[in-house]
């Protein structure tokens, strides 16, 4: 009869069941966020009056924002929250109008859209402050080889390595408007992007969960990190966040209403009733994600699939390396590019900076690939095109240091 008995689950034969599952961890301080994730948390990032003015401006504008829609399997699904896309004007916006129009369209999952409007004045004012902080924070960190190499600078000045030129904005009204786990497409951001995410209004939880590499799934499970984001807080998702983690804004059982400490600016509208309504306690969270769309990834260089629409670029999150490439990999990369091996080294300043990750997580992505995205709007049907990104053939860069690619297996 023992032959008919199912094997005992405790005899070690099922190693997957023995992988410990860790409880969610709340990261309530900037120190905890930096310790456990590739992000940094900054409270009271804007002057209080500016934070409130920007909140009012976007809350009033969000009346005309729309939920995002896309095909999933055989049906159309709709986001619970509303979104909008802005481009930066003046010296901050470096891309042509048609390029930003296409970028906005594919922010909305390929849905046709009007050209994005420029940053409203309070957003531009906030962006200048945030841009300075992001550049300071990035200079403290060791850079990844495939990050943007930065704009040229005059002698004696620090190069500007991150310049926000677009802002994707979201309005979450109430505790049940959410967004599920996802990583951001890097189609226009390029590899290892940095994204600055500003929270205004009610406090909501920002959730992170690692995508565990395939070769580690029988050894460990992903842990969920919850970061409470209050009004006027900034999370900088530094390089490797989109390569390692997915993020979400989960539903909550309850929220504390936001009581704006300043009155709305009278310049918003002549409607006194609308102004009075804006000053009432609010259940809304406004999220602004400032992004740098790299000039070497502008829309004219995006491959098209057989459907005739731009592909999207995603990292291979399931296959990662532990750290910087070895000397032999650097040599292989250099030869692939046609450069001399002596030039294919990380930037000189990287040696004196902290490691890319203080944890044991693998942070180096092996491949990025272009895939068909037509199915998001074409009744869920795409052509299935898939190809590995070739940065040499596609003319990408400049990158940090002189390393322009990782060795493809």
């Amino acid at each position: 009869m023992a032959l008919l008995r199912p094997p005992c689950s405790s005899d070690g034969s099922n190693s997957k069941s023995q992988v410990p599952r860790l409880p969610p961890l709340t990261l309530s301080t900037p120190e905890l966020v930096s310790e456990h994730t590739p992000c940094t948390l900054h409270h009271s990032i804007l002057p209080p009056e500016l934070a409130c003015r920007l909140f009012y401006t976007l809350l009033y504008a969000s009346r005309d924002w729309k939920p995002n829609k896309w095909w999933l399997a055989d049906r159309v699904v709709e986001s619970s929250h509303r979104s909008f896309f802005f481009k930066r004007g003046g010296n901050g916006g470096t891309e042509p109008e048609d390029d930003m129009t296409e970028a906005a369209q594919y922010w909305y999952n390929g849905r046709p859209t009007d050209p994005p409007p420029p940053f409203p004045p309070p957003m531009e004012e906030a962006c200048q402050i945030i841009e300075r902080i992001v550049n300071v924070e990035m200079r403290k960190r060791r850079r990844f080889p495939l990050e943007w190499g930065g704009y040229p600078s005059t002698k004696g000045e620090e190069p500007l390595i991150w310049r926000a030129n677009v802002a994707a904005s979201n309005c979450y009204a109430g505790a049940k408007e959410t967004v599920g786990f996802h990583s951001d497409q890097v189609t226009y951001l390029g590899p290892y992007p940095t994204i600055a995410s500003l929270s205004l209004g009610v406090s909501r939880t920002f959730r992170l969960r690692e995508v565990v590499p395939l070769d580690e799934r029988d050894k460990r499970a992903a842990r969920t990190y919850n970061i409470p984001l209050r009004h006027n807080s900034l999370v900088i998702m530094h390089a490797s966040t989109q390569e390692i983690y997915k993020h979400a804004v989960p539903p909550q059982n309850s929220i504390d209403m936001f009581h704006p400490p300043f009155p709305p600016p009278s310049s918003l509208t002549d409607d006194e009733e609308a102004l009075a309504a804006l000053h009432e306690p609010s259940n809304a969270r406004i999220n602004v994600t400032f992004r740098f769309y790299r000039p070497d990834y502008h829309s004219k260089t995006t491959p098209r699939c057989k459907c005739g629409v731009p592909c999207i670029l995603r990292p291979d999150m399931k296959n990662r390396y532990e750290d910087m490439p070895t000397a032999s990999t650097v040599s292989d990369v250099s030869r692939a590019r046609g450069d001399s091996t002596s030039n294919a080294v990380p930037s000189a300043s990287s040696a004196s900076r902290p490691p890319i990750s203080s944890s044991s997580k693998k942070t180096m992505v092996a491949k990025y690939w272009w895939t068909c995205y037509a199915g998001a709007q074409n009744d869920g049907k795409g052509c299935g095109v898939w190809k590995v990104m070739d940065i040499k053939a596609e003319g990408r860069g400049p990158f940090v240091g002189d390393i322009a690619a990782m060795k493809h297996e």
Side-chain angles (χ1 to χ4, degrees):
M1 295 298 294
L3 295 176
L4 301 178
R5 193 174 298 136
C8 178
S9 60
S10 62
D11 64 0
S13 60
N14 188 355
S15 61
K16 188 173 181 180
S17 65
Q18 297 180 2
V19 175
R21 294 190 175 276
L22 300 173
L25 183 62
T26 296
L27 309 177
S28 56
T29 67
E31 293 77 17
L32 286 172
V33 171
S34 297
E35 178 184 351
H36 292 280
T37 77
C39 302
T40 53
L41 174 63
H42 309 263
H43 292 308
S44 302
I45 198 71
L46 302 176
E49 186 277 332
L50 173 59
C52 200
R53 181 158 37 99
L54 180 56
F55 171 77
Y56 283 131
T57 300
L58 296 181
L59 182 63
Y60 185 73
S62 70
R63 302 175 308 163
D64 299 323
W65 298 358
K66 305 295 183 186
N68 214 339
K69 295 181 181 181
W70 66 97
W71 277 84
L72 183 64
D74 59 348
R75 63 191 180 94
V76 175
V77 294
E78 182 176 280
S79 64
S80 61
H81 67 286
R82 291 163 288 156
S83 300
F84 201 71
F85 191 89
F86 295 92
K87 68 167 186 178
R88 195 175 185 186
N91 294 330
T94 58
E95 301 299 322
E97 182 79 21
D98 57 346
D99 195 77
M100 287 293 105
T101 300
E102 180 173 295
Q105 179 179 349
Y106 286 93
W107 166 256
Y108 295 108
N109 291 297
R111 197 173 72 234
T113 184
D114 295 329
F119 287 10
M123 182 181 284
E124 174 60 34
E125 196 175 338
C127 183
Q128 292 179 19
I129 295 171
I130 290 170
E131 194 171 70
R132 287 194 297 270
I133 292 169
V134 170
N135 275 271
V136 168
E137 288 295 320
M138 289 178 70
R139 291 190 188 103
K140 297 177 184 177
R141 308 173 71 86
R142 192 176 170 195
R143 308 285 307 286
F144 287 86
L146 289 183
E147 283 187 72
W148 170 246
Y151 288 104
S153 60
T154 59
K155 189 174 181 179
E157 291 185 357
E158 287 272 16
L160 188 65
I161 53 180
W162 187 85
R163 169 171 282 172
N165 48 17
V166 299
S169 302
N170 304 287
C171 179
Y172 300 88
K176 302 306 179 185
E177 293 199 358
T178 66
V179 63
F181 274 111
H182 67 285
S183 62
D184 291 354
Q185 303 165 15
V186 296
T187 309
Y188 308 107
L189 299 166
Y192 292 97
T194 296
I195 299 173
S197 179
L198 175 67
S199 288
L200 302 169
V202 300
S203 297
R204 292 291 298 266
T205 296
F206 178 67
R207 182 168 287 174
L208 287 165
R209 183 183 295 157
E210 183 195 0
V211 175
V212 177
L214 291 174
D215 60 356
E216 296 183 6
R217 290 188 176 181
D218 60 345
K219 302 173 186 175
R220 65 183 183 91
R223 187 166 201 171
T224 298
Y225 298 104
N226 293 320
I227 305 175
L229 296 181
R230 63 194 192 207
H231 173 66
N232 198 14
S233 61
L234 180 76
V235 166
I236 303 176
M237 293 186 280
H238 289 284
S240 80
T241 304
Q242 306 307 321
E243 279 77 5
I244 301 176
Y245 289 89
K246 292 189 176 183
H247 55 274
V249 177
Q252 297 180 194
N253 292 329
S254 63
I255 54 174
D256 294 326
M257 299 288 280
F258 174 61
H259 297 261
F262 294 88
S266 58
S267 58
L268 268 181
T269 177
D270 295 330
D271 187 338
E272 293 186 1
E273 290 187 3
L275 287 175
L278 283 174
H279 198 34
E280 293 293 323
S282 173
N283 69 349
R285 173 191 180 236
I286 297 291
N287 169 231
V288 185
T289 55
F290 293 100
R291 300 159 185 257
F292 170 45
Y293 276 15
R294 285 171 50 162
D296 56 331
Y297 281 84
H298 58 76
S299 66
K300 289 186 173 127
T301 68
T302 304
R304 306 265 166 169
C305 67
K306 295 177 183 176
C307 304
V309 303
C311 295
I312 60 168
L313 183 64
R314 291 195 180 277
D316 182 2
M317 304 177 76
K318 298 179 181 179
N319 296 283
R320 304 198 300 265
Y321 299 128
E322 289 186 357
D323 205 340
M324 287 288 195
T326 63
S328 60
T329 302
V330 170
S331 179
D332 290 337
V333 167
S334 180
R335 284 195 296 270
R337 246 191 113 185
D339 297 338
S340 63
T341 305
S342 61
N343 290 332
V345 294
S347 60
S349 60
S350 67
S352 61
R353 294 182 180 176
I356 284 176
S357 174
S358 58
S359 70
S360 59
K361 294 182 177 66
K362 296 179 178 179
T363 59
M364 301 297 293
V365 168
K367 295 182 179 72
Y368 292 78
W369 56 68
W370 297 102
T371 62
C372 171
Y373 197 47
Q377 294 296 329
N378 187 29
D379 295 336
K381 300 173 184 177
C383 62
V385 159
W386 178 98
K387 71 173 183 174
V388 175
M389 178 181 69
D390 184 337
I391 59 175
K392 180 186 175 184
E394 295 171 18
R396 311 296 180 183
F399 299 98
V400 168
D402 291 316
I403 299 176
M406 299 295 291
K407 180 181 177 182
H408 293 308
E409 297 180 346

